[in-house]
Amino acid sequence: MINLPTKTGVDGLTGTALIGVLTSVCSTGFLLFGYDLGVMSGVVISSYWLEQMGNPSTIMMSTITALYDVGAVIGGIAAACTTEPLGRKRTLILGTTILLVGVILMGSSYERIQMMFARVVTGIGIGYITSVTPVYQSEITPPEHRGWQLCCQLTSMIGGIVLTYWVNYAFYFYSGPIQWRFPLLFQGIFAIYVIFLTMFMPETPRWLIRHDPTPERGIEVLAKLRGLPKDHPVVLKEAQEIIEAIEIECDEEGTWTDLFKGHGISADKRLYLALGIQFMQQMTGINIVTYYAPTLFEVSLGMSQERALFFGCWLQVWYMIASFVTWYTIDRVGRRKLWISMALGQMIVLVLEAICVAVDNPSSNIAAVFFVFLYETCFTWGWMATVWVYPAEILPLKIRAKGAALATASDFLGNFLVVEITPPALQNIGWRTYVIFAALNLVNASLVWAFYPETAGQTLESIDMLFREYGLEKEEAKQGNGSQDGDVHAETRRGWTSALQWSVVPRADAAVQRVRREKRVASSVDAAESGHRIEPDAREQSMTESVEKKSAEERVERVVL
């Protein structure tokens, strides 16, 4: 007998295998995102597409391309309304279905209005997908693996860009409408994969514990994800942390107005951080390269159309290769250091790119191609995966779905602005376009240094506690008690920079260092005690763990009964 898919997923798929399949689903969702980012790079230079669309002007061509981002903003906002009531799983299926409809409409377009409408529909689907998949992934992944597993999604996104560039290049040599119709329709295969496989996946434990009529399903799914029995101490401890986080936020209503209230955990400020970092990603100028690499090579560097497409393909291959470095660095180095260092790197590279384009001779053109490759290296190391990880980490559970969806909308809003202005900017002010984005990268680095706390290696619940403690200390300082003096001395020790940097930033750095020290100590103790008999202290620790396990069991039972 075959069991129908349920909120707890299919039987027999647990542990690493289950997380692996879920990661493949979320990663394929981002592959669709990358494919759609890159597919128009080849379509807009196809003579057959231009003729079918009535030979649009430069402004009209950029508008047709950018309407996708308008749809994505709509999809992100819509996902904010549906992700919490529907759940992560059903929202992903809904978004991918909308995308599939848009893909069919794009690939079958016979005139400009249909293409423009199809771009908006496809964007709505992508808005849903990119809003829900980081939340889905972060809520099923252990904190120590959260960064690199979310990197899988972003590497898959770049893989989608690589795939679409090579598909465009392959079909460049075909005559007729197939040159642009096939690249647009091909992505439907991946959409069908996501829809089908997601049907058999479980909902996230956090959503089930909060919303399901039978919250014990959440603990069942948590046990499945960890590959452990439901009464295992690790499962009980994590379930208890989720329950405590929900209780902390239980007084919030979770409405749209709650997005802009502090509630003792700085929820509003955390929303602004999420919105800001995703908008700032687009202000790095990445989509000058992603959307218009062939146009950039052809217009700015004077390449032939075929050679421009060819170099665009290898640029994206390098983009994907470089992204694997982030799998290692995102949790070890942390989000902040990568953002700041790579933003400064991008600033320098874009200034050099502007100089090369302005000089415009054979040697400078070769250097300009090199700097485009170097720019994408800096971006994928610093501003690709980290930006998509951060909103799901920094936002509190009660507003995580709404906030992450709005952050995605913010990303696509920035995307729309860049995609809309790039062709006319390159046409009218040329090399100065790169200088503008170089300056914006410097602004990005400054904002991150001043306002963005580190989240690497911390549980989602411990991040909540960090802001809760900050709120309590702030309130105590207002009341004028003794802790205020301690805070003043702490600020003085930080030096003159304390006036420019939000106090949560050094607190978060200290918390990250503490977690890392604890893990090192735990690893050393485990190594030292391996193979030895249990000493009295170890027996005492074992008894303590038994008491804690019993307490956690009782707490979990009170919630699910």
Side-chain angles (χ1 to χ4, degrees):
M1 181 179 177
I2 299 175
N3 292 325
L4 293 174
T6 66
K7 292 178 181 178
T8 59
V10 294
D11 296 332
L13 190 62
T14 62
T16 304
L18 176 56
I19 291 178
V21 175
L22 277 164
T23 301
S24 84
V25 168
C26 293
S27 297
T28 305
F30 263 76
L31 183 145
L32 285 164
F33 175 32
Y35 194 98
D36 266 313
L37 281 178
V39 72
M40 291 301 286
S41 64
V43 170
V44 296
I45 63 173
S46 168
S47 59
Y48 299 101
W49 182 82
L50 292 169
E51 183 180 351
Q52 192 77 59
M53 297 299 115
N55 294 306
S57 65
T58 301
I59 295 294
M60 178 55 68
M61 184 180 70
S62 63
T63 299
I64 292 172
T65 305
L67 280 172
Y68 162 84
D69 298 297
V70 174
V73 172
I74 296 169
I77 294 171
C81 300
T82 60
T83 300
E84 204 58 44
L86 287 180
R88 293 28 168 166
K89 171 178 172 176
R90 286 181 288 184
T91 299
L92 180 56
I93 292 173
L94 174 62
T96 311
T97 303
I98 294 171
L99 172 93
L100 186 59
V101 172
V103 165
I104 294 169
L105 289 173
M106 275 199 302
S108 62
S109 291
Y110 278 89
E111 48 86 32
R112 190 183 300 176
I113 299 300
Q114 182 182 347
M115 174 60 76
M116 294 172 77
F117 177 74
R119 290 290 291 167
V120 172
V121 173
T122 305
I124 291 171
I126 285 293
Y128 266 98
I129 292 169
T130 53
S131 295
V132 72
T133 47
V135 176
Y136 202 168
Q137 184 79 63
S138 67
E139 290 189 354
I140 58 98
T141 304
E144 62 270 19
H145 301 309
R146 191 170 60 237
W148 78 262
Q149 287 189 356
L150 282 163
C151 280
C152 293
Q153 294 184 32
L154 278 303
T155 297
S156 295
M157 192 212 78
I158 299 170
I161 298 174
V162 172
L163 178 61
T164 191
Y165 266 75
W166 283 107
V167 169
N168 278 331
Y169 182 68
F171 278 83
Y172 171 79
F173 300 100
Y174 284 81
S175 299
I178 193 174
Q179 187 183 82
W180 62 272
R181 291 192 189 277
F182 181 87
L184 288 172
L185 289 169
F186 181 64
Q187 59 188 301
I189 295 171
F190 303 104
I192 292 169
Y193 172 85
V194 171
I195 293 168
F196 177 77
L197 215 59
T198 304
M199 291 170 57
F200 298 92
M201 295 297 100
E203 185 53 81
T204 71
R206 286 173 172 82
W207 187 88
L208 288 169
I209 290 173
R210 183 171 187 83
H211 293 285
D212 197 70
T214 52
E216 61 268 21
R217 286 181 179 173
I219 298 167
E220 180 184 342
V221 170
L222 187 60
K224 275 188 175 183
L225 290 167
R226 304 299 174 251
L228 298 168
K230 286 196 289 185
D231 61 350
H232 192 279
V234 170
V235 174
L236 292 172
K237 180 183 178 184
E238 192 168 351
Q240 184 178 7
E241 288 177 348
I242 294 170
I243 292 164
E244 286 174 352
I246 291 172
E247 288 176 350
I248 288 172
E249 298 161 353
C250 66
D251 293 333
E252 301 180 44
E253 296 177 4
T255 63
W256 286 100
T257 57
D258 285 315
L259 290 167
F260 306 101
K261 297 177 182 177
H263 297 288
I265 51 172
S266 301
D268 51 348
K269 293 181 178 65
R270 293 158 74 179
L271 173 66
Y272 304 146
L273 292 175
L275 296 175
I277 200 63
Q278 294 222 231
F279 187 82
M280 287 155 60
Q281 183 195 51
Q282 297 306 316
M283 295 304 103
T284 61
I286 181 59
N287 279 313
I288 291 180
V289 177
T290 303
Y291 274 79
Y292 297 118
T295 303
L296 184 152
F297 291 141
E298 191 175 353
V299 175
S300 296
L301 305 181
M303 293 184 181
S304 68
Q305 193 174 89
E306 186 271 333
R307 178 167 288 191
L309 277 171
F310 183 72
F311 269 94
C313 290
W314 285 109
L315 173 64
Q316 305 312 326
V317 169
W318 172 247
Y319 194 14
M320 184 171 70
I321 293 171
S323 73
F324 286 105
V325 175
T326 319
W327 291 37
Y328 178 83
T329 59
I330 189 169
D331 286 321
R332 290 171 176 83
V333 177
R335 289 52 160 153
R336 275 175 53 82
K337 291 179 182 177
L338 290 174
W339 283 333
I340 294 170
S341 60
M342 292 301 108
L344 295 175
Q346 287 160 193
M347 178 193 69
I348 295 169
V349 170
L350 287 172
V351 169
L352 295 173
E353 179 74 19
I355 294 170
C356 291
V357 173
V359 172
D360 193 21
N361 60 37
S363 298
S364 69
N365 286 348
I366 292 172
V369 172
F370 168 77
F371 287 129
V372 170
F373 277 76
L374 184 57
Y375 171 84
E376 285 216 344
T377 303
C378 291
F379 179 83
T380 192
W381 287 353
W383 285 82
M384 174 56 74
T386 47
V387 168
W388 289 96
V389 168
Y390 199 77
E393 292 180 325
I394 200 68
L395 291 165
L397 176 61
K398 191 79 173 186
I399 63 168
R400 188 171 296 147
K402 287 185 174 69
L406 288 180
T408 299
S410 172
D411 190 286
F412 283 111
L413 178 61
N415 202 340
F416 170 78
L417 293 174
V418 173
V419 173
E420 181 71 20
I421 68 170
T422 294
L426 291 173
Q427 188 177 58
N428 295 319
I429 63 174
W431 59 268
R432 297 171 185 82
T433 307
Y434 303 103
V435 176
I436 293 171
F437 284 102
L440 289 171
N441 273 284
L442 179 59
V443 172
N444 286 352
S446 302
L447 290 173
V448 169
W449 175 84
F451 298 112
Y452 280 79
E454 184 58 76
T455 57
Q458 300 190 67
T459 66
L460 301 179
E461 290 69 38
S462 67
I463 295 169
D464 268 348
M465 293 305 299
L466 175 71
F467 282 95
R468 180 177 173 83
E469 290 166 3
Y470 162 75
L472 289 172
E473 288 191 6
K474 187 177 178 183
E475 187 62 31
E476 289 172 357
K478 285 181 180 179
Q479 294 172 2
N481 61 21
S483 67
Q484 188 176 12
D485 295 334
D487 289 344
V488 170
H489 292 310
E491 295 293 316
T492 303
R493 286 195 297 272
R494 286 167 54 206
W496 66 270
T497 59
S498 62
L500 303 176
Q501 195 174 45
W502 190 20
S503 61
V504 173
V505 173
R507 288 167 58 88
D509 288 341
V512 170
Q513 293 304 318
R514 184 171 62 251
V515 169
R516 289 174 177 172
R517 282 196 303 271
E518 289 172 354
K519 287 182 178 179
R520 285 196 296 269
V521 170
S523 298
S524 300
V525 171
D526 289 343
E529 292 184 351
S530 178
H532 295 283
R533 65 187 181 86
I534 299 178
E535 299 296 334
D537 288 346
R539 284 199 301 270
E540 183 178 342
Q541 182 180 358
S542 178
M543 292 174 63
T544 302
E545 288 176 351
S546 298
V547 172
E548 289 177 349
K549 176 183 174 183
K550 184 176 180 181
S551 175
E553 286 175 339
E554 292 173 351
R555 187 176 181 82
V556 170
E557 284 175 3
R558 285 199 302 272
V559 170
V560 301
L561 289 178

